[in-house]
Amino acid sequence: LQRFLTRAGLSTFDRTSSHYGLGLTLGNAEVRLDELVTAYASFARGGEWLAPTWSLGKDAAPAGRERVSLTSPLTAYWISDVLSDDSAREYIFGRGGSLEFPFPVAVKTGTSQAYHDNWTVGYTRDVTVGVWVGNFDRTPLKSSTGVTGAAPIFHAVMLAATRRLRGASGFEARAIVAAPEGLVDHDVCALSGLPANLWCPARQRERMPAGGDPPCSWHHQSDDGLLVVWPPAYRQWARQNGLLAEHKPVPAPGPRADVATAAPATARGPLEIVNPPSGATYLIDPEGIIQYSAAS
């Protein structure tokens, strides 16, 4: 990953990979705003990294400007598709905020540890915008994250840039990156993520490679109705959440009602609150996610 980021033009990685560790995948290394924006812009070009210029003359791409094939067009398409999916972002950020636009925009936010600064970077087919919010003396921000701090500025700049470049015609559903050949629209099982079979109860439309994964093997029709066969990796989780359909033999017929003795009712304890757990401390962070930690 560090080698890839260096190829993407980020020049601030002056330590070994062991220094950054696995946290590099989450963004624990310092970067420059201009280099980060340039790296994101490569996705909008279908995976081609283009050396930036500091002023726009008559020729936006002068001769001799360095170009690097950073990712495949398919990778650039998938990344752009993920980052522009308002429905996928809804679970955490809700709808109608600064990350939604009347046209496709691929966007990513970030908040540094202890709220020292925050970022929002995103792109369309025409423009890439990056916003940094923070204090120059490195004092922490107060209740400011990538969503509440940088995102509103990003939203305003992206709208202004699009109006300037495209006018009213820019506000239309134009794909950020053209879909490579070999992709087809397909119904996907919302539970397994595999191509839906006839019995999958919840589906969503996704673009997938033609002739890819086999149909969903989780859902089956049985004599007792729909049956979910959970893969081994999910069986313990499914059982803990009451989702695992246990196979039980059909009970034998009981004694006739006129000679049977009623069985005593199963003894039950008093009403018990199981959630929230006793001693829990709830925190509401600026991202809007409610979390709790049990008391020690």
Side-chain angles (χ1 to χ4, degrees), residues 110-125:
T111 306
S112 66
Q113 188 175 19
Y115 302 99
H116 281 96
D117 47 20
N118 56 75
W119 310 68
T120 298
V121 183
Y123 55 92
T124 66
R125 295 183 64 176

Side-chain angles (χ1 to χ4, degrees), residues 89 93 97-101 105 107-111 118-122 129-133 144-159 287:
R89 200 165 30 234
F93 299 111
S98 298
L99 303 182
E100 287 198 40
F101 294 83
V105 177
V107 58
K108 181 73 179 70
T109 66
T111 306
N118 56 75
W119 310 68
T120 298
V121 183
V129 174
V131 176
W132 169 82
V133 169
S144 179
T145 69
V147 177
T148 61
I153 303 172
F154 172 88
H155 189 92
V157 173
M158 180 61 77
L159 288 179
E287 297 285 1

Side-chain angles (χ1 to χ4, degrees), residues 171-248:
F171 291 74
E172 59 186 43
R174 300 167 64 245
I176 300 175
V177 178
E181 295 182 0
L183 298 180
V184 295
D185 290 334
H186 205 293
D187 284 335
V188 175
C189 175
L191 181 64
S192 69
L194 298 168
N197 65 29
L198 295 176
W199 304 285
C200 293
R203 309 176 180 205
Q204 57 192 42
R205 200 71 172 171
E206 294 287 352
R207 187 162 289 176
M208 304 176 61
D213 294 325
C216 176
S217 59
W218 294 28
H219 292 103
H220 301 268
Q221 187 67 27
S222 69
D223 294 338
D224 297 326
L226 182 65
L227 180 66
V228 181
V229 179
W230 294 85
Y234 302 100
R235 291 183 67 83
Q236 181 179 359
W237 175 87
R239 182 179 292 107
Q240 291 173 347
N241 288 272
L243 301 174
L244 188 62
E246 300 289 358
H247 298 280
K248 298 180 180 179

Side-chain angles (χ1 to χ4, degrees), residues 10 20 23 68 143 204 248:
L10 302 179
Y20 299 109
V68 175
S143 301
Q204 57 192 42
K248 298 180 180 179

Side-chain angles (χ1 to χ4, degrees), residues 25-49:
T25 63
L26 300 177
N28 68 352
E30 295 181 344
V31 296
R32 287 173 36 171
L33 178 60
D34 61 322
E35 294 178 346
L36 189 64
V37 170
T38 302
Y40 269 88
S42 65
F43 293 127
R45 298 191 186 95
E48 182 184 52
W49 180 90

